Amino acid sequence: MKLNNLIGLLVVFFLGACNCPQTETCDTKSQVINTRWTKEQAKNWGEENGWLRGSNFNPSTAINQLETWQAESFDTATINRELGWAEEIGMNCMRVYLHHVAWEVDKEGFKYRMNQYLSIADSHGIKTIFVFFDDCWNVTYKAGKQPDPKPGVHNSGWVRDPGDLIFLDENLMPLLEEYVKDVLTTYKDDKRIAIWDLYNEPGNNGLKNSSMPLLRNVFRWGWEVRPSQPLSAGVWNVRLTDLNKFQIENSDIITYHNYQGPEKHQAAIDSLKKYDRPMVCTEYMARRNNSYFQNIMPILKNENVGAINWGLVAGKSNTKYAWDEPIPDGSEPALWFHEIFHPDGTPYSQEEVDLIKSLTLGE
């Protein structure tokens, strides 16, 4: 889920001294205890979960997170069918975005639908990485019917959470705290959940350090619940040094994004190994950028780094089109950017599917 100016992780993140003790983080109102896992706890989780491999997933019938989770458009038939295709190629983990508005308008129904999703995924042997917040794509959103896709435009209807509303509504932060704690408390011991990804690409869309208050808060809320699953927020842009430092220092396990070729992706892995915690790449695979299953997934398996590519089934999100190369007439791109399957379940590339299966089946 990237914009044109996104760069990969290429260098070591230099972490300076923290103003707070190692077991705490500073908060403007109080000293909040940081309950980050020890390295031993993180490694135990890694051994229990093994090599995670899968996709970022929203059903092909949903243009965004709201259409995925709202009652009127929650599509269990499509979810079940498409996760079945993932199971067939040996995937065992999906990364799935939530949205606070879907919870706000129907709190109990939202959590019930999360449970339905988890039950379907579990029936296919698939664990879930849930994502709370996101700084990518459209800044405005509302409950109800979502827009139709713009032909040939990548993620034309994807929405941020919480977007600019965080700067405009003084009552939003307490609502977001209630949301995060409600969801975490409900599912804090659910073995079907692999990871809580607290914030996708904080600082994207030029927000930079203005995303830091929410990033700090969502970790604090997570520590106050302290689920049995790891809390993390993936590093994604080496230039966001303050955000990177906070994310790496406070995540139970290391997560990151990289959409570049094998040499630069390997450099990213090498730069993150020094933190000596399990690692999961929660976004990769953009064919135009020389990030393919064939040249990246074997590296991730060899390094025991979780491999979560962008996109499972081509659909309303239009992420088979490149970030910055729209095709206004909606015709087929010469090279798919993301995605593995057509909407009818046939592979975009049988060679890719054969490679994936050779790496996953029998694990």
Side-chain angles (χ1 to χ4, degrees), residues 309-347:
N309 71 280
W310 189 270
L312 183 66
V313 181
K316 292 176 75 172
S317 66
N318 272 347
T319 57
K320 68 181 181 181
Y321 300 97
W323 302 315
D324 54 350
E325 294 179 358
I327 302 179
D329 66 1
S331 57
E332 194 76 356
L335 179 69
W336 278 20
F337 197 59
H338 300 312
E339 318 293 13
I340 300 172
F341 294 105
H342 291 273
D344 66 358
T346 58

Side-chain angles (χ1 to χ4, degrees), residues 253-274:
I253 63 170
I254 302 299
T255 56
Y256 71 95
H257 297 174
N258 191 294
Y259 282 104
Q260 295 186 304
E263 295 82 7
K264 292 179 178 179
H265 198 135
Q266 183 68 61
I269 293 171
D270 293 342
S271 77
L272 295 168
K273 280 182 181 178
K274 73 172 187 177

Side-chain angles (χ1 to χ4, degrees), residues 172-183:
L172 185 58
M173 195 70 81
L175 179 73
L176 297 179
E177 179 178 4
E178 182 187 355
Y179 160 59
V180 170
K181 288 184 174 180
D182 185 24
V183 171

